[in-house]
Amino acid sequence: MKTIDTDLVEIKDSQVFGTKELLTELQSISAFDVSSNTELTLAKKKRAAIAKVVPALKKQRKAFLTDMEQQLNEQYPELPAIEELAVALIEDFDKEIKPYVTSIKGDRLERIQSTIDEISANYGQETYQAPTEYANEEYWTQTNNPAKKLEKKIVDDVRLRQIDMAKVEAKLDSDKRKAERLKDAIRGIINNVDRVNGIYSGEDVIKLLMPIGEFIKE
């Protein structure tokens, strides 16, 4: 089987050669029905050869772009200088902007804490520290006031905390009732023990311990 020559495509003097030849070669290939081991082997070989084309083209494209970029930078040295200066300026502005934004967000969290306290109290829940998410721009107006979206967010969060707390309380209550039932079962076993004769068969022991069977299964 003829191997596909991915080296047909070549870059020379910022020009690309061999693309038409490689395209013609690929156009001469078509998939065929595979119904035998021989055809399977051939199909796999053809597929493997074709699979090398895309990575090879990516490599050539990258080399071409690198060469063009180098020529462009040599011809216009201002370009890399512009890019470097722009990046440096952005970093300088970030150094000035970020501390101020951080202070604004801190102030926002302090301002919204009373709203969290009030809404939590309305739902009979303990308050909580304002999460940093509440300071995000989406929850504040252009005049730096809490938006209605933030109040809705707080209400939703408080209600979720209320639901979670109810689940916790239900679990604690269930565990408490279970512990009481276990105590009652053990107390019943002790009270039913024959302290006079004190002789039990295996069946008698099983009957005595049956009340705590549900706890053993769990």
Side-chain angles (χ1 to χ4, degrees):
M1 182 196 78
K2 180 182 176 183
T3 302
I4 297 173
D5 188 5
T6 55
D7 291 334
L8 279 173
V9 179
E10 182 184 9
I11 296 175
K12 186 180 294 183
D13 298 327
S14 299
Q15 296 186 59
V16 182
F17 300 92
T19 53
K20 292 182 178 179
E21 290 79 1
L22 181 56
L23 179 60
T24 299
E25 189 172 343
L26 286 174
Q27 288 173 336
S28 68
I29 301 172
S30 59
F32 51 84
D33 178 60
V34 176
S35 55
S36 68
N37 289 338
T38 301
E39 291 171 340
L40 176 62
T41 300
L42 182 60
K44 284 185 174 182
K45 287 183 178 180
K46 282 185 173 292
R47 184 192 180 285
I50 296 169
K52 295 178 181 179
V53 173
V54 173
L57 286 182
K58 284 184 177 180
K59 182 179 179 181
Q60 293 286 359
R61 185 183 289 113
K62 184 177 180 181
F64 177 78
L65 293 175
T66 300
D67 183 56
M68 289 297 293
E69 182 179 9
Q70 184 177 349
Q71 288 192 40
L72 191 64
N73 289 340
E74 288 175 356
Q75 188 173 356
Y76 303 98
E78 301 87 356
L79 288 176
I82 289 171
E83 183 178 0
E84 183 179 345
L85 180 57
V87 171
L89 285 171
I90 289 173
E91 291 178 351
D92 289 342
F93 274 106
D94 284 345
K95 289 177 183 178
E96 301 298 330
I97 291 171
K98 288 180 179 179
Y100 182 67
V101 170
T102 299
S103 68
I104 290 177
K105 290 189 173 183
D107 177 66
R108 287 176 176 177
L109 295 178
E110 289 182 8
R111 289 170 57 191
I112 203 62
Q113 188 61 51
S114 60
T115 303
I116 297 173
D117 297 343
E118 180 182 350
I119 293 175
S120 296
N122 290 341
Y123 282 87
Q125 298 297 304
E126 291 187 8
T127 189
Y128 58 95
Q129 195 70 29
T132 55
E133 179 188 4
Y134 288 1
N136 290 349
E137 295 301 323
E138 61 180 303
Y139 298 123
W140 294 79
T141 65
Q142 291 184 347
T143 55
N144 199 34
N145 289 312
K148 289 193 175 295
K149 184 177 180 181
L150 178 54
E151 184 175 345
K152 182 180 182 304
K153 169 68 173 170
I154 295 172
V155 170
D156 290 343
D157 286 350
V158 169
R159 294 181 67 180
L160 285 174
R161 290 168 67 89
Q162 185 180 40
I163 292 171
D164 290 341
M165 184 58 65
K167 290 179 180 178
V168 171
E169 290 176 352
K171 179 68 167 59
L172 291 173
D173 187 53
S174 174
D175 290 344
K176 182 179 179 181
R177 291 197 305 271
K178 179 180 174 182
E180 290 297 328
R181 293 201 314 273
L182 179 58
K183 288 179 182 178
D184 291 341
I186 295 173
R187 192 178 296 113
I189 292 172
I190 294 172
N191 292 336
N192 288 325
V193 170
D194 188 343
R195 293 178 173 80
V196 178
N197 298 316
I199 300 175
Y200 292 92
S201 65
E203 185 177 351
D204 292 333
V205 172
I206 291 175
K207 288 180 180 179
L208 277 173
L209 296 178
M210 280 183 65
I212 63 172
E214 64 172 298
F215 303 100
I216 297 174
K217 290 178 182 177
E218 294 179 5

